[in-house]
Amino acid sequence: AALPYRESSSTARRLTSISIDTSILHKILKLTLFYRSRSGAQLFSFDALDFVRTFELKLRQGPRWKELCGQISNPNLKSTCEPGYSFANLVWANRTDTWYKWWDTNPATYATTGNGPEPLPLKAAVALAERKQLHHIFFPKNWQGGADTNLLRSVFEFNLQCCRIWDDPAVKRDILNELGLKYKEFVVNELYPLLQETKKSTLGAGADIEIFWEGDVVTSHEVYSALQSDAFMAIGSATFIFCFLTIHAGSPLLSASALFLTILSIPLAFVMSATLSGANRVTGAYFLSLFLMIGLGADV
């Protein structure tokens, strides 16, 4: 849906110095990254945080990420995806007061880009997160303060400009569909492969940090990708069942008919369920019935 940017939103409260035209509608898409220590060790170490920073910089340097965030997103809201909200960005913040001297009594100012030449002390970074009211994003709910946690979270928000609030509904729909396709292409061709590659590399290298993610499009794409890869196993099982039935019954036609009727029970069950309950939305859970039926057929 196309949504106006509202000053009551959590993002707006962190961008109070920016004036946003509320007549502009946006397609808002979010990506959340979670980092957890496999051994239960604390993530407040420069090695762990440098891994997070390097990984997220690699994400942000992708060509489709740059296009979505730099060209299609609202320029006034670009900071929600570049650099986004990440504790590692605070640790490697850039000093913006270049004329600061040691005797200056004014507080230092930083840009939380993650590109700083050297890290801040961890206690200073935590204090900066609290001052910017970002600790609720970065740290778990049970965090009691201090520089100790084995969980971290980073959030990126793409506020893609759609149209004006008074534009024709058909125009809005067309632009929203185009933006949705662009974001899906970004997820399928750039974001998800990099997430998978990084997760596999951390497993293969025996790294202590484990990565999880959730967000618009990427969560559903992950589910359907897993189903698509597992479908080949179901095809192999169905082929074995067909061959076994053909040998047992002596009739390929009878074997194919039996297998067809078994698989036909899936859409039949969906139609009956939708008729009785009134719910006609197809989710990833429905596809699990394919593996269930093939498994039962193999056992029988």
Side-chain angles (χ1 to χ4, degrees), residues 270-286:
F270 173 75
V271 171
M272 292 182 64
S273 175
T275 302
L276 295 174
S277 65
N280 56 4
R281 182 184 176 190
V282 178
T283 65
Y286 284 95

Side-chain angles (χ1 to χ4, degrees), residues 121-166:
L122 291 178
K123 289 185 178 180
V126 171
L128 185 60
E130 291 180 317
R131 190 180 69 170
K132 289 179 171 290
Q133 299 182 8
L134 296 172
H135 56 287
H136 298 298
I137 292 180
F138 301 149
F139 311 132
K141 290 182 178 180
N142 59 356
W143 182 71
Q144 300 297 323
D148 289 316
T149 183
N150 65 344
L151 293 169
L152 282 176
R153 177 173 63 175
S154 299
V155 177
F156 302 91
E157 182 178 287
F158 297 85
N159 294 276
L160 308 183
Q161 288 190 122
C162 166
C163 38
R164 295 283 180 173
I165 197 169
W166 51 75

